[in-house]
Amino acid sequence: MGPYRTAHSCGLPGHPRRSDVREGSLRIEQYFGTAAADTSFNVKSVTKSVMSALVGIALRERIIPSLDTRIATWLPEAAEPGVDPRVSRVTVRHLVEMSAGFEWEENGPATTAWLNSDNQIKYMLHLPLRADPGTEFNYSTGVAHLLSVILTRASHRSTREFADDRLFAPLGLRAGPWGTDRQGYAEGGSELQMTARSMARFGLLYLNRGYWGSASVVPEHWTLDSTRPHKRVDYGFLWNYLPAEWGGPAVSALGYGGQAISIVPDASTVIVVASTADNPQNDVMRLLREVLIPHVRQ
């Protein structure tokens, strides 16, 4: 496993925070405004990367038999009248690589209508397809949510219960609230709350290829496969990838408004940024690429 270092940042807009964990202990920590070590942040789409880890665990336990298992195995709604017949060909792989093919514009009208719908599962599955499954990347929080529904139905436990048992408890962390849809399913693409320290622990798990001490929490092969590019040069299985020519290599879990867990393997470092900012102009990637990643490499 080797030594590691974590640079960790949290706080309110306009107040960059940095600290780091070295050799398994927190070395530097700083908070500003009303933020503190026990502050839970809505990590937004960082939730997707947590969902990716849960899928990897479920695959190892054969709760989900294969990435190529069709989602209709657990989603009979996919066969309802009015659903595009091609939805029957959508697989778990298509969900984690964001290539299911649904007509969707992230943070656009479809997102708003989906959030306000009485049944997010049915709304998603009844969307028209813009492309055949597996042929085109299209980032979608709605697609990630289907993974949470599948995990709940396949494991016969809520996504939160599964995560607490298989992921959070082994890391010694307690996540905060996790928002649910109107049917009670944990939102697979957003709305999980975590402290910055908990985010750092999750990042360290991936820095150490899925191991926490001597225990394999997430399969090593899954941590490697899910954090490399698949359908797009900058995206894996619900993880963002930063190639070397763009300031990487690094892999990141990124969330709206300034949430990030960025793993920099060649510096044995995890960088965490957390914020209460609800601001789409909060350019975390530029901060990582131009400031934080170069700093930890020095």
Side-chain angles (χ1 to χ4, degrees):
M1 308 290 214
Y4 53 79
R5 179 177 62 185
T6 299
H8 157 148
S9 164
C10 70
L12 299 173
H15 296 280
R17 328 284 181 231
R18 291 183 301 180
S19 60
D20 67 61
V21 177
R22 186 189 300 270
E23 304 273 344
S25 61
L26 190 64
R27 181 167 179 173
I28 303 170
E29 186 172 32
Q30 187 174 13
Y31 296 89
F32 291 80
T34 60
D38 61 354
T39 301
S40 285
F41 300 88
N42 184 338
V43 297
K44 296 297 185 180
S45 287
V46 169
T47 306
K48 293 179 175 69
S49 300
V50 173
M51 199 69 235
S52 177
L54 298 178
V55 170
I57 295 168
L59 285 165
R60 176 169 62 190
E61 297 184 12
R62 302 293 294 171
I63 292 168
I64 296 175
S66 164
L67 278 180
D68 297 314
T69 304
R70 295 187 177 190
I71 65 172
T73 304
W74 305 279
L75 301 175
E77 298 94 334
E80 289 181 347
V83 174
D84 189 309
R86 291 175 293 174
V87 173
S88 67
R89 306 204 307 263
V90 174
T91 67
V92 175
R93 183 185 303 275
H94 298 147
L95 299 186
V96 295
E97 70 182 12
M98 294 290 186
S99 68
F102 292 107
E103 184 69 51
W104 181 277
E105 179 187 353
E106 187 71 9
N107 298 321
T111 308
T112 302
W114 171 76
L115 287 170
N116 293 329
S117 66
D118 291 332
N119 189 315
Q120 291 180 350
I121 305 163
K122 291 187 176 184
Y123 183 92
M124 196 68 208
L125 294 172
H126 280 262
L127 284 174
L129 263 62
R130 60 185 279 176
D132 287 339
T135 62
E136 181 180 297
F137 178 92
N138 187 26
Y139 185 88
S140 168
T141 293
V143 159
H145 181 53
L146 293 179
L147 287 166
S148 177
V149 178
I150 287 170
L151 180 61
T152 295
R153 293 180 178 181
S155 68
H156 306 291
R157 305 180 68 186
S158 72
T159 297
R160 178 55 189 263
E161 290 171 336
F162 188 87
D164 281 342
D165 184 45
R166 303 296 208 281
L167 180 61
F168 299 152
L171 302 187
L173 68 87
R174 293 182 61 186
W178 193 338
T180 60
D181 68 10
R182 287 176 173 81
Q183 279 64 52
Y185 294 100
E187 294 284 0
S190 186
E191 305 312 302
L192 173 63
Q193 294 189 28
M194 302 176 76
T195 66
R197 290 182 181 181
S198 293
M199 294 167 71
R201 282 177 176 258
F202 181 62
L204 289 171
L205 175 70
Y206 268 72
L207 179 64
N208 287 332
R209 297 186 174 189
Y211 282 87
W212 195 255
S214 61
S216 173
V217 178
V218 178
E220 181 174 6
H221 71 85
W222 180 257
T223 67
L224 298 174
D225 199 30
S226 60
T227 56
R228 67 176 178 85
H230 287 276
K231 283 297 178 185
R232 205 168 73 171
V233 68
D234 60 347
Y235 207 78
F237 290 159
L238 307 181
W239 283 88
N240 294 266
Y241 179 76
L242 186 67
E245 57 269 28
W246 297 355
V251 293
S252 302
L254 299 176
Y256 181 94
Q259 328 304 325
I261 304 170
S262 190
I263 302 159
V264 190
D266 61 355
S268 297
T269 298
V270 176
I271 301 168
V272 172
V273 179
S275 175
T276 56
D278 187 15
N279 177 11
Q281 303 305 316
N282 194 337
D283 194 350
V284 173
M285 279 309 301
R286 187 165 66 86
L287 174 66
L288 290 170
R289 188 174 59 248
E290 297 180 8
V291 180
L292 295 176
I293 292 176
H295 173 75
V296 300
R297 283 189 169 131
Q298 292 176 359

